[in-house]
Amino acid sequence: MSLDAATLALVAGELKNTLLDAKIDKIFEPTRDEVLITLRTRTETHRLLLSARSGSARVCLTQESFENPLTPPGFCMLLRKHLAGGRIITLRQEPLERVVTLEIEAMNELGEMGRFSLVLEAMNRHSNLILCGGDGRIIDCMRRVDFEMSQQRQVLPGLYYHLPPRQEKRSPLDVEEQEFRTLLESASPERQTDKWLLDTFTAIAPLWAREMAFRAGGSTDCLLSAAVGRLWLEFDAWRRLVRQGEFLPVVLARDGKPFDFTFAPVLQYENACEIRTEESFSQLLDHFYAQREQADRVRQ
């Protein structure tokens, strides 16, 4: 399960409440695609994990232990140089995008207070962690992307940072009933419902596309012809859930092993899985990926 935009928004909201004005104490890079930052508030110490690992990119507070390399990698040294001793002044997620930015105030090379942005793009195999200066230029990044790798968007030191290009899909929060029904009428009734939702709208996780199909048409792989009568109602219910922001950190497990997570109970698995809850979304991500990575190590 990859982190979807809706769940990332919930994690970002939790972190913003917890880490605002926290001071950066230590920075480590335990693996080539993960950065661990120790932060101190007036009353607590937190460990923030920023992972750009394909398939498990995320940002969350962590209780896991990491083995740090004896020699810090170059990107880690760069982050220490610019951010050590700084304070987080804000944390935001781009609307319906899997991009989280930490705005940090720290002493620059001239001994003056400067602004920096640490941007996590949690986008599967395109995930990246990017450090920008106050002028919006990229200082450096975990993965450099040159013209040969992407003609559409380069991520290199010295270039201005720009958000990843948006997909040619509609925002589910901006579409109203008439437009939704028009789009539905123009689609083939033999199209699989969840695939149509994923291809037409951005920011809907595959789990919730299947859930809407199940609730509207009786099965996760039902065709639009079976779901058309109730699909708008289920789609609109999902939108209200996202807009209200009152979510429950839910983990789905089989035989005690977690296989997915989301922000509300789902019906599609019926009695075939166990539904567990966590205290926070940050804790959910920390536990879920730690268990999954441990299982991967055992299999290897």
Side-chain angles (χ1 to χ4, degrees):
M1 169 70 181
S2 298
L3 188 61
D4 64 277
T7 306
L8 183 59
L10 304 173
V11 179
E14 288 180 351
L15 294 176
K16 183 177 180 181
N17 293 333
T18 304
L19 300 180
L20 198 63
D21 203 38
K23 182 179 180 181
I24 296 175
D25 186 30
K26 298 177 182 179
I27 303 175
F28 302 101
E29 191 175 341
T31 69
R32 65 177 184 172
D33 43 22
E34 293 178 319
V35 166
L36 184 67
I37 303 177
T38 302
L39 297 154
R40 298 188 186 278
T41 66
R42 294 179 181 177
T43 57
E44 296 178 290
T45 298
H46 301 283
R47 299 163 74 238
L48 180 68
L49 178 67
L50 297 154
S51 174
R53 180 175 295 175
S54 177
S56 60
R58 64 197 185 277
V59 55
C60 65
L61 299 179
T62 182
Q63 299 295 326
E64 296 298 315
S65 58
F66 296 86
E67 186 174 340
N68 296 307
L70 294 176
T71 303
F75 186 61
C76 179
M77 295 297 291
L78 182 80
L79 294 178
R80 290 178 180 179
K81 174 185 175 181
H82 291 286
L83 304 182
R87 293 185 180 277
I88 296 177
I89 56 176
T90 188
L91 186 150
R92 68 177 186 276
Q93 182 220 16
E94 300 299 327
L96 293 182
E97 297 288 344
R98 289 174 291 174
V99 179
V100 168
T101 301
L102 281 74
E103 295 288 346
I104 299 164
E105 192 174 64
M107 200 76 71
N108 62 22
E109 295 172 327
L110 301 177
E112 302 172 342
M113 293 303 293
R115 288 282 188 95
F116 300 89
S117 300
L118 188 57
V119 184
L120 175 67
E121 298 178 350
M123 308 179 75
N124 296 326
R125 62 189 181 90
H126 299 296
S127 297
N128 208 345
L129 187 61
I130 305 163
L131 178 66
C132 302
D135 59 355
R137 291 182 184 271
I138 297 170
I139 298 173
D140 211 341
C141 48
M142 189 170 275
R143 296 187 178 91
R144 296 182 178 183
V145 181
D146 59 24
F147 188 80
E148 291 184 356
M149 298 170 68
S150 173
Q151 297 184 17
Q152 191 173 28
R153 176 180 181 249
Q154 292 77 53
V155 184
L156 294 168
L159 299 181
Y160 283 106
Y161 174 77
H162 298 285
L163 288 171
R166 294 182 182 274
Q167 295 177 309
E168 295 298 321
K169 299 180 184 181
R170 289 167 171 79
S171 166
L173 301 185
D174 295 338
V175 173
E176 297 303 331
E177 182 175 2
Q178 185 56 52
E179 183 181 0
F180 182 89
R181 294 193 181 279
T182 300
L183 292 169
L184 197 55
E185 289 171 2
S186 65
S188 167
E190 299 304 306
R191 187 89 181 273
Q192 196 166 307
T193 302
D194 64 326
K195 299 295 191 296
W196 178 78
L197 289 167
L198 292 173
D199 290 343
T200 306
F201 302 100
T202 187
I204 298 178
L207 174 69
W208 276 97
R210 295 194 304 271
E211 182 69 11
M212 283 185 259
F214 178 81
R215 296 186 182 195
S219 69
T220 57
D221 59 355
C222 71
L223 303 180
L224 284 175
S225 57
V228 65
R230 287 192 52 83
L231 191 55
W232 163 254
L233 297 176
E234 299 301 338
F235 180 83
D236 193 42
W238 177 87
R239 297 196 320 157
R240 290 198 304 271
L241 189 64
V242 172
R243 284 172 170 162
Q244 288 167 0
E246 297 179 0
F247 299 110
L248 186 66
V250 171
V251 177
L252 307 175
R254 290 193 185 98
D255 300 323
K257 299 177 182 179
F259 68 89
D260 214 335
F261 59 82
T262 185
F263 48 77
V266 295
L267 306 178
Q268 61 188 275
Y269 296 107
E270 301 181 289
N271 297 323
C273 81
E274 174 190 356
I275 296 179
R276 303 199 302 251
T277 60
E278 296 278 4
E279 292 182 6
S280 68
F281 284 97
S282 205
Q283 187 180 85
L284 180 155
L285 295 181
D286 194 32
H287 291 173
F288 179 87
Y289 285 113
Q291 291 180 59
R292 194 176 77 170
E293 288 167 7
Q294 182 181 22
D296 289 343
R297 287 193 294 270
V298 170
R299 282 196 297 270
Q300 292 171 4

